[in-house]
Amino acid sequence: MSLRLLFAGTPDFAVPALRELIDSGRTPLAVLTQPDRGAGRGRKVQFGPVKQLAVDAGIDVLQPERLRPDLRDLLASFEADLLITAAYGLLLPQWLLDLPRFGCWNLHASLLPRWRGASPINQAILHGDRATGITLMQMEAGLDTGPILAQSEITVLEDETAGELHDRLSDLAGHLELEQIRALEKGRMPRPVKQDDSLATHAPLINREDARLDWSQPARVLARKVRGYNPWPVAFAEIEGIEVRIYRARPGGDCELPAGQLVRGHGRRDAVIVACAGDSLEISELQAPGKKRVSASDWLNAHPDWR
């Protein structure tokens, strides 16, 4: 059975899933993606990653601001068997969920029902999860509440940032998608399993203020924040009166100094060390306002009073 597919996605996360379809000869009839946005200092309008791939592949691109009912006839004209979404950014209305023959599948970057919502990758790191993965779900009107069709699990690496985990999960999403499409083409529809709502956790939208470090917390919590908010919005904190962005850090040893105080005289040249809640955070990469991102050793060479 040859499936007629539609695809919906916007950011980098969705690119591997679309590329898997194209490379396997299952090019979607059309791609839905968010409208073009301004980027950079000049707010120059740029194509999103999914749109750029679709354009390069010669696929029709649709970019509605909202999924209004007047789009129904256009989307129905494709006579799609299946719509696949990955980080699209718009909730699908019921009329669209009902339109394709096999409904709509969504690739979500967590092991649902854990971390429903907008920031599942960040939350997995922030909460110290040892494993996460990709869930392929049958979409319904609720947010990430639909029945689970398939899951693929990976281990969260000890020093992994949200950006690094994002890239591994996006590749995993493409592989899981293609595996289940091949099964469907052979007449093996994935068996939907209802989510246990009692186990659900929420992954809210994040903002810059979430990434502010509170030195009264333990170093293990702060180190997870540094990882979980890299590459965006990037953890930040005040040290010696300077608000710095912190890209890489790890928990250090016990420390009896007041929380937030710079630890001097430790003899280390590869870390800026700050006291926390009974222990310390060892910072290995940081950035001052208006300056370049540098290693701790370069920072200490330029700020010998911090040693």
Side-chain angles (χ1 to χ4, degrees):
M1 173 175 57
S2 178
L3 295 173
R4 295 173 61 84
L5 302 175
L6 295 174
F7 185 86
T10 301
D12 288 320
F13 179 82
V15 168
L18 177 56
R19 186 179 290 117
E20 286 277 10
L21 297 178
I22 296 169
D23 290 348
S24 67
R26 298 171 174 83
T27 301
L29 302 167
V31 164
L32 290 95
T33 191
Q34 290 269 347
D36 300 330
R37 311 292 186 192
R41 291 185 178 180
R43 305 304 296 168
K44 183 179 179 180
V45 174
Q46 297 181 358
F47 287 0
V50 165
K51 179 179 178 179
Q52 188 63 63
L53 176 57
V55 169
D56 291 345
I59 305 172
D60 288 340
V61 176
L62 306 175
Q63 295 182 273
E65 286 278 359
R66 292 181 298 158
L67 294 169
R68 303 182 307 273
D70 57 8
L71 291 169
R72 181 187 177 95
D73 289 346
L74 173 60
L75 293 175
S77 70
F78 292 107
E79 299 181 343
D81 295 307
L82 182 67
L83 168 63
I84 301 168
T85 76
Y88 176 35
L90 291 179
L91 287 175
L92 272 57
Q94 192 64 48
W95 65 262
L96 181 51
L97 295 173
D98 296 337
L99 200 58
R101 176 185 173 192
F102 296 110
C104 302
W105 290 0
N106 179 56
L107 293 159
H108 183 77
S110 79
L111 298 174
L112 291 171
R114 188 163 178 81
W115 303 132
R116 294 173 177 172
S119 61
I121 298 174
N122 310 85
Q123 300 304 325
I125 292 178
L126 292 171
H127 289 80
D129 292 1
R130 295 189 176 184
T132 185
I134 294 293
T135 298
L136 180 69
M137 55 171 277
Q138 187 80 41
M139 296 185 72
E140 60 179 30
L143 179 63
D144 301 327
T145 59
I148 295 169
L149 302 176
Q151 291 184 319
S152 187
E153 180 176 319
I154 59 173
T155 299
V156 179
L157 304 179
E158 185 176 354
D159 296 324
E160 196 165 30
T161 66
E164 292 161 348
L165 182 56
H166 166 283
D167 292 348
R168 289 206 294 140
L169 285 171
S170 64
D171 287 340
L172 187 64
H175 299 328
L176 182 62
E177 163 204 59
L178 191 56
E179 175 186 284
Q180 295 304 316
I181 285 177
R182 285 173 173 158
L184 182 58
E185 289 171 340
K186 295 176 182 178
R188 299 197 302 269
M189 180 69 179
R191 183 176 67 87
V193 177
K194 188 178 186 301
Q195 292 188 42
D196 184 346
D197 292 340
S198 70
L199 300 177
T201 54
H202 180 54
L205 282 169
I206 58 177
N207 57 55
R208 183 178 184 274
E209 193 59 30
D210 293 331
R212 182 186 295 276
L213 300 188
D214 177 357
W215 294 119
S216 68
Q217 294 183 316
R220 68 180 184 279
V221 173
L222 300 181
R224 289 202 298 259
K225 282 191 173 185
V226 172
R227 293 166 50 221
Y229 293 122
N230 182 349
W232 189 89
V234 182
F236 66 98
E238 186 174 298
I239 307 173
E240 293 292 289
I242 302 174
E243 187 177 279
V244 297
R245 306 178 86 188
I246 302 170
Y247 289 88
R248 295 277 180 178
R250 59 185 177 272
D254 293 343
C255 182
E256 296 181 357
L257 293 175
Q261 184 170 322
L262 181 67
V263 180
R264 293 181 171 89
H266 50 75
R268 296 276 298 279
R269 291 187 172 272
D270 63 345
V272 171
I273 302 179
V274 181
C276 307
D279 53 12
S280 59
L281 185 71
E282 298 183 356
I283 302 166
S284 57
E285 199 170 350
L286 65 164
Q287 182 181 23
K291 303 294 184 181
K292 292 192 301 184
R293 176 176 167 178
V294 296
S295 67
S297 59
D298 286 344
W299 179 278
L300 292 172
N301 285 337
H303 299 80
D305 57 314
W306 282 41
R307 293 177 184 170

